[in-house]
Amino acid sequence: MYRPHIKVKQIGLLLVMLLNFAVAWAQNKPTADTTKVFSLEDLRMMVFRYHPIIKQAALFTQTAKANVLQSLGYFDPALKASFGSKMFGNTEYYNHWDSELKVPLWLAGADLKVGYDRNVGTYTNPETRTSLDGLTGVGISIPLGQGLIIDSRRNTLRQAKIMVQYAEAEQVKQVNGTWYEIVKDYWAWYYAYRQLVLSQEGVELAERRFKAVNTQTKLGDKASIDSVEAYITVQERIVQLDKNKVELQNARLLLSNHLWNEEGSPLELPADAIPQMVGVNIEKPSRMVLDTLVQKAANQHPELVKLRTKGSQLAVERSYRQEMLKPKINVSGTLLSKRRSFDSYVPGYYDYNWSNYKVGLDFVFPLFLRSERGKLREVKLKQQQLDYDIQQSGREIKNDVLSAYNDLTAYEAQINVQAQSVKNQEALLKGEMQKFELGESTLFLINSRETKLIDMRIKLESMIAGYEKSLAALYYKAGSRQQL
């Protein structure tokens, strides 16, 4: 029996189903509360203020400066004094008082000395015996051979100062590496979120279609198998949605590893926080930017700076080892005086003159110099090895930058193609729905095209996330950080 009012109702339900479907897909991106958007710039501000690894990196330079201060200690003036006395049988055997202020000088490795000696007593060595007032002396010790150009203390201080540059490069390297890993975790969170959003939309569409088909089945316009097929699609997408929920939770936890507050307590990324949205109309850095990055990498890359700093250290060490090949010839001279106080006037000729003095000469020269020659040869070999490292590392860094740029070019092309494919698939789905409305298609084909469209959109988001990671890699491999 023909019942026209039932047919009209069925057509109306079908039109409602199609209208809901079109509205759902027209709203590709959910309207987000901007207060919940956690952008990459927000992340950068928190990381560079509170992240413990970033704070730790700053200690490299402070440690190197502490080593410089420690090396400067070799040039600290030193005051030393000694006293000894012996009395036996009412006889003063000796009464010795020796004191000296030694001031190391940077120039020529010399030492300035000011001293006071008082050695009296019955059995005091005549060489060192003084009057009861004692003797004061002002003198200097100068190395004329080994140590004149550079000595161990100047060698240590110069290398310590060079190590400050090494520490600064190490700090930049650690900061850049930490930020690069954080950026990758951010875009992994972005992809997990977008995948969940698209999966949620797919579930909603499948549930909406199942309700419409189930209603038509009850009205007798559709076979019950169509309702079963629609429900199976709902179940499959729910399973995928649950999987994506777990992936998003894990991605959120991974990103939370980098969140800290001012007190140093760990923070958790809120469950309602969402990443910043990225469109498909991307534009990779220009060739001019690439050339700038390549040039900057050649001059300022942390790894190359560290290698060149080691080269500077070896140059100082080589100069020191060459100095060690010279004989040791140390001369010293001291002008003597009985005066012990200089409060009234500056000491002059009548206090110190050339007729009262002490002089000394020390000479040492190993005949074969095997130890010194071996150490010098070792330093030269290290310099050759370092030159090879700089040469190879420079080339690898340049090629890494170019490789990262090639990845960006490939992602740019792939995203453009994928975005067009998504539009084409949307057109196919719309056409299939029109055919279904005319009774020329099946629910299976609509589900198939819709599922493929969801997969293609998820793949597009994966490419966008991959592009952003490659963009961060470009700057990281150039030895700098991406400017947001």
Side-chain angles (χ1 to χ4, degrees):
M1 180 178 180
Y2 179 73
R3 291 184 291 182
H5 63 283
I6 295 179
K7 287 290 185 180
V8 171
K9 185 183 294 185
Q10 293 171 352
I11 294 175
L13 288 172
L14 179 60
L15 291 175
V16 171
M17 178 188 73
L18 295 176
L19 179 61
N20 290 335
F21 178 87
V23 171
W25 279 100
Q27 299 174 345
N28 290 335
K29 295 181 180 179
T31 302
D33 184 355
T34 56
T35 60
K36 298 179 181 179
V37 174
F38 185 59
S39 67
L40 191 59
E41 174 62 20
D42 297 330
L43 177 62
R44 187 192 67 81
M45 292 179 62
M46 292 189 65
V47 165
F48 283 91
R49 285 182 181 177
Y50 310 126
H51 200 290
I53 300 299
I54 303 297
K55 293 180 179 180
Q56 181 192 53
L59 299 180
F60 291 138
T61 302
Q62 297 181 25
T63 302
K65 291 180 178 179
N67 290 333
V68 172
L69 181 61
Q70 180 180 347
S71 300
L72 284 170
Y74 294 117
F75 294 89
D76 287 345
L79 178 64
K80 65 178 182 178
S82 64
F83 172 76
S85 178
K86 181 179 178 180
M87 293 289 296
F88 185 77
N90 295 326
T91 300
E92 184 180 42
Y93 276 62
Y94 59 84
N95 190 309
H96 295 170
W97 171 265
D98 298 317
S99 59
E100 180 185 70
L101 174 64
K102 181 179 179 181
V103 182
L105 304 177
W106 177 268
L107 181 63
D111 293 325
L112 178 65
K113 300 177 181 180
V114 179
Y116 171 75
D117 298 333
R118 184 178 182 275
N119 298 318
V120 296
T122 305
Y123 298 103
T124 300
N125 189 337
E127 281 186 16
T128 60
R129 183 181 296 135
T130 67
S131 65
L132 293 178
D133 292 332
L135 292 176
T136 59
V138 177
I140 190 169
S141 175
I142 302 175
L144 297 181
Q146 184 182 117
L148 179 64
I149 305 300
I150 184 173
D151 56 7
S152 61
R153 58 192 179 189
R154 283 180 285 174
N155 174 48
T156 302
L157 179 57
R158 286 175 180 175
Q159 292 199 36
K161 290 182 177 180
I162 292 173
M163 280 302 296
V164 174
Q165 302 175 14
Y166 185 95
E168 291 173 349
E170 182 64 28
Q171 176 182 349
V172 172
K173 177 184 175 182
Q174 180 161 325
V175 170
N176 289 351
T178 302
W179 176 241
Y180 175 52
E181 295 299 324
I182 293 173
V183 170
K184 290 196 296 183
D185 290 341
Y186 180 88
W187 291 114
W189 172 55
Y190 164 86
Y191 171 65
Y193 171 77
R194 292 299 301 155
Q195 185 177 227
L196 179 67
V197 169
L198 295 174
S199 298
Q200 182 66 50
E201 290 180 1
V203 170
E204 293 174 356
L205 292 174
E207 288 178 343
R208 197 174 292 122
R209 184 179 300 107
F210 167 71
K211 291 179 181 179
V213 172
N214 190 44
T215 301
Q216 289 181 303
T217 300
K218 292 178 180 179
L219 294 175
D221 190 50
K222 292 287 185 182
S224 59
I225 192 65
D226 289 338
S227 178
V228 173
E229 181 179 349
Y231 188 64
I232 289 175
T233 301
V234 172
Q235 291 177 315
E236 290 176 346
R237 294 184 182 179
I238 288 177
V239 170
Q240 184 62 38
L241 178 63
D242 292 338
K243 178 182 177 182
N244 293 339
K245 287 181 179 179
V246 174
E247 292 177 355
L248 179 59
Q249 290 175 356
N250 292 338
R252 186 183 296 116
L253 289 174
L254 192 61
L255 187 60
S256 297
N257 288 336
H258 311 298
L259 302 181
W260 302 81
N261 62 13
E262 189 174 1
E263 289 74 26
S265 301
L267 300 177
E268 295 293 333
L269 187 65
D272 58 349
I274 63 173
Q276 66 185 48
M277 296 296 102
V278 181
V280 298
N281 297 322
I282 61 174
E283 184 177 353
K284 72 176 187 298
S286 65
R287 294 291 303 186
M288 183 179 297
V289 173
L290 175 63
D291 294 339
T292 301
L293 288 175
V294 170
Q295 185 64 33
K296 185 177 180 180
N299 297 329
Q300 304 177 17
H301 196 283
E303 283 297 335
L304 294 179
V305 172
K306 288 169 60 178
L307 290 174
R308 294 186 184 114
T309 302
K310 287 183 179 180
S312 299
Q313 273 190 306
L314 289 175
V316 174
E317 183 68 16
R318 180 172 179 172
S319 176
Y320 173 63
R321 292 304 170 185
Q322 288 174 336
E323 186 74 5
M324 293 298 100
L325 297 177
K326 300 178 181 179
K328 293 181 180 178
I329 305 175
N330 297 328
V331 296
S332 60
T334 304
L335 297 178
L336 302 175
S337 173
K338 293 183 179 180
R339 183 177 182 186
R340 293 189 294 174
S341 175
F342 302 102
D343 296 336
S344 58
Y345 61 88
V346 177
Y349 174 79
Y350 295 102
D351 297 298
Y352 296 99
N353 58 71
W354 296 106
S355 60
N356 299 318
Y357 61 87
K358 290 193 303 184
V359 294
L361 173 67
D362 296 326
F363 176 83
V364 179
F365 184 64
L367 295 180
F368 299 111
L369 295 173
R370 284 181 287 199
S371 176
E372 289 74 12
R373 287 190 289 112
K375 291 178 180 178
L376 178 59
R377 184 180 301 174
E378 181 183 4
V379 172
K380 290 180 179 179
L381 291 174
K382 287 182 178 179
Q383 285 183 316
Q384 291 181 3
Q385 294 173 353
L386 186 63
D387 290 339
Y388 295 142
D389 285 341
I390 293 177
Q391 184 179 3
Q392 181 64 26
S393 297
R395 178 168 183 173
E396 289 177 355
I397 289 172
K398 178 180 179 180
N399 289 339
D400 285 343
V401 174
L402 296 177
S403 176
Y405 190 79
N406 291 338
D407 290 340
L408 286 180
T409 303
Y411 269 118
E412 182 184 39
Q414 292 171 10
I415 290 174
N416 292 333
V417 172
Q418 186 69 13
Q420 188 60 45
S421 297
V422 168
K423 292 181 180 180
N424 294 337
Q425 186 65 22
E426 289 175 349
L428 287 176
L429 178 59
K430 183 177 180 180
E432 200 67 44
M433 289 168 54
Q434 293 174 349
K435 292 170 63 178
F436 180 79
E437 183 178 355
L438 299 174
E440 297 177 359
S441 182
T442 63
L443 185 61
F444 173 80
L445 289 177
I446 290 182
N447 287 336
S448 177
R449 294 196 182 280
E450 184 180 275
T451 300
K452 186 174 182 181
L453 178 57
I454 294 174
D455 292 341
M456 292 176 67
R457 295 182 68 192
I458 290 176
K459 185 177 181 181
L460 178 59
E461 296 295 346
S462 175
M463 290 179 179
I464 292 175
Y467 172 85
E468 295 295 342
K469 292 179 182 179
S470 296
L471 183 61
L474 173 67
Y475 286 88
Y476 169 70
K477 292 179 179 179
S480 60
R481 292 193 300 273
Q482 178 183 356
Q483 300 298 320
L484 303 179

